[in-house]
Amino acid sequence: MKIIRAKDYDDMSRKAANVLAAQVLLKPDSVLGLATGSSPLGMYQQLIERCKKGDISFAKVVSINLDEYAGLAPEHPQSYRYFMDHNLFNHIDIPPASTHLPNGLAEDATGECERYEALIASHGGIDMQLLGLGNNGHIGFNEPGGSFEKATHKVQLTESTIDANKRFFDSLDEVPRYAYTMGIRAIMQARRVLLVVAGSQKAQIVREAFFGPVTPEVPASILQLHGDVTLVGDEEAFSLI
Ligand code: GLP
């Protein structure tokens, strides 16, 4: 695992953008596994600026996002489709048809999971998977549990995740209880993984995930077994390692 230490959130965002921009420069038709959350937001702003300047192009990139809330329409401001469109896709030159997320409104959950698995396979897997880290060690919405869930699945969110994500909703009741998430297999089969983490509230879970035992109780710990992980974090997130 490569660990890149940044001073603060802005520095982390620039350094992470460097890694992702290098991937796209070296392989313009990369399949990117993209993520939502506060952690990659600054990095996305950096990538938008670089794309506008003409330093990088996403014209041939395919993006396959990690996860989506079940029950939210794409135009719902808290859906991950809305987040990605507004915080990245609408501002770069990626063709809209090359951007993919699970369909939060799918009526047939099993069929939707199968569709997503087939989509990932049809693009030959993921070249670079971007990840944030949940407070409880989740990646995507792979929540702590008794085993690593391999395939795309519909998941019941834990109380900890609902609590962490309530800040984006008007009330706790509005936070979706279920989500679709890519499974551990597609993440582990990604050729490269880039994980971004910032803030003192992540310090303890960073230590558990990357310096503790590999266990489904801390889903991100499986990344210790991946051959090409780059972890970019700020001083606060790395304060316990
Ligand atoms: C959410 C998302 C994850 C994200 C995580 C951390 O629940 N499903 O993909 O990485 O929480 O989010 P943040 O970066 O806002 O701390």
Side-chain angles (χ1 to χ4, degrees), residues 182-202:
M182 205 183 269
I184 293 296
R185 181 175 48 216
I187 295 172
M188 287 300 284
Q189 286 180 347
R191 289 174 264 284
R192 303 178 73 198
V193 173
L194 170 62
L195 192 140
V196 288
V197 66
S200 57
Q201 75 283 4
K202 298 283 173 75

Side-chain angles (χ1 to χ4, degrees), residues 89-159:
F89 299 149
N90 289 351
H91 310 288
I92 59 175
D93 58 349
I94 192 166
S98 303
T99 68
H100 305 279
L101 283 93
N103 173 11
L105 293 184
E107 286 180 11
D108 169 13
T110 307
E112 178 57 12
C113 294
E114 287 170 2
R115 178 190 77 82
Y116 217 63
E117 283 293 307
L119 175 79
I120 298 164
S122 74
H123 287 287
I126 290 163
D127 290 308
M128 178 171 274
Q129 177 65 56
L130 173 68
L131 296 172
L133 181 62
N135 291 333
N136 61 5
H138 73 223
I139 45 179
F141 271 131
N142 287 279
E143 295 279 41
S147 60
F148 290 109
E149 289 262 16
K150 294 190 207 64
T152 301
H153 56 287
K154 187 175 180 182
V155 60
Q156 182 166 16
L157 302 180
T158 61
E159 286 305 316

Side-chain angles (χ1 to χ4, degrees), residues 40-54:
L41 255 187
M43 184 189 109
Y44 288 157
Q45 280 158 14
Q46 288 285 324
L47 292 171
I48 290 167
E49 281 174 33
R50 291 167 199 207
C51 187
K52 285 193 169 145
K53 274 195 273 177

Side-chain angles (χ1 to χ4, degrees), residues 229-240:
V229 175
T230 303
L231 178 57
V232 187
D234 70 356
E235 270 179 19
E236 288 185 353
F238 286 167
S239 59
L240 298 179

Side-chain angles (χ1 to χ4, degrees), residues 171-214:
S171 74
L172 187 62
D173 286 349
E174 286 179 36
V175 187
R177 269 38 181 182
Y178 290 87
Y180 289 99
T181 184
M182 205 183 269
I184 293 296
R185 181 175 48 216
I187 295 172
M188 287 300 284
Q189 286 180 347
R191 289 174 264 284
R192 303 178 73 198
V193 173
L194 170 62
L195 192 140
V196 288
V197 66
S200 57
Q201 75 283 4
K202 298 283 173 75
Q204 180 63 32
I205 196 65
V206 165
R207 183 161 76 173
E208 282 176 38
F210 304 112
F211 298 90
V214 175

